[in-house]
């Protein structure tokens, strides 16, 4: 599923953070970047993945919330974005539960945004 929705990925991944469960097991990763051609000024794009045997337990939503709190401390960042494959229904659900709203499409992917200045 990872390759289907995200692609091959980097041979040398550098996630912003790993996601741990209450037992301190690594259950996924989360990161962000500002180097997408479609990002407007003050926007960051967030990517995340929960490993298959740990999905559906709220880890992605919680990780998104924590990363957003941290990113919001940067006064130059006003908006967080997610780019999600339209067939990835679980990830679309994560976006909604994390307070993102669908904004449009970019290259066939659904674009979700969340204003970081409204708390």
């Amino acid at each position: 599923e990872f390759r289907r929705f995200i692609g091959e990925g980097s041979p040398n991944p550098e996630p912003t953070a790993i996601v741990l469960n209450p037992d301190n097991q690594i259950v996924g990763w989360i990161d962000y970047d500002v180097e997408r051609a479609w990002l407007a000024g003050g926007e960051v794009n967030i990517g995340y993945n929960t490993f298959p045997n740990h999905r559906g337990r709220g880890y992605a939503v919680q990780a998104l919330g924590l990363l957003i709190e941290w990113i919001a401390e940067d006064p130059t960042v006003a908006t967080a974005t997610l780019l999600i494959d339209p067939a990835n229904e679980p990830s679309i659900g994560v976006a909604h539960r994390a307070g993102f709203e669908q904004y449009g499409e970019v290259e066939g992917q659904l674009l979700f945004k969340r204003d970081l200045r409204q708390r």
Side-chain angles (χ1 to χ4, degrees):
E1 286 185 340
F2 178 86
R3 285 186 180 89
R4 182 174 73 159
F5 293 127
I6 298 179
E8 286 300 313
S10 171
N12 301 306
E14 297 180 27
T16 300
I18 56 173
V19 180
L20 300 174
N21 69 8
D23 296 325
N24 287 326
Q25 297 173 315
I26 298 173
V27 298
W29 56 260
I30 189 165
D31 65 7
Y32 75 98
D33 67 80
V34 296
E35 299 173 359
R36 307 287 176 137
W38 47 266
L39 285 172
E43 291 185 342
V44 300
N45 182 62
I46 299 174
Y48 56 87
N49 182 43
T50 304
F51 303 145
N53 54 335
H54 298 284
R55 292 181 181 152
R57 299 181 188 170
Y59 299 130
V61 174
Q62 186 175 13
L64 270 170
L66 292 170
L67 183 60
I68 286 168
E69 283 182 33
W70 184 75
I71 291 171
E73 297 297 320
D74 182 340
T76 67
V77 179
T79 306
T81 70
L82 304 172
L83 205 56
I84 302 174
D85 186 292
N88 191 343
E89 292 179 21
S91 194
I92 292 169
V94 167
H96 289 298
R97 285 189 297 282
F100 285 78
E101 295 181 19
Q102 188 173 344
Y103 189 79
E105 292 187 15
V106 174
E107 299 172 0
Q109 304 288 301
L110 302 178
L111 177 64
F112 290 82
K113 293 187 178 189
R114 178 173 163 182
D115 184 347
L116 301 182
R117 299 295 160 230
Q118 295 179 347
R119 293 188 192 193

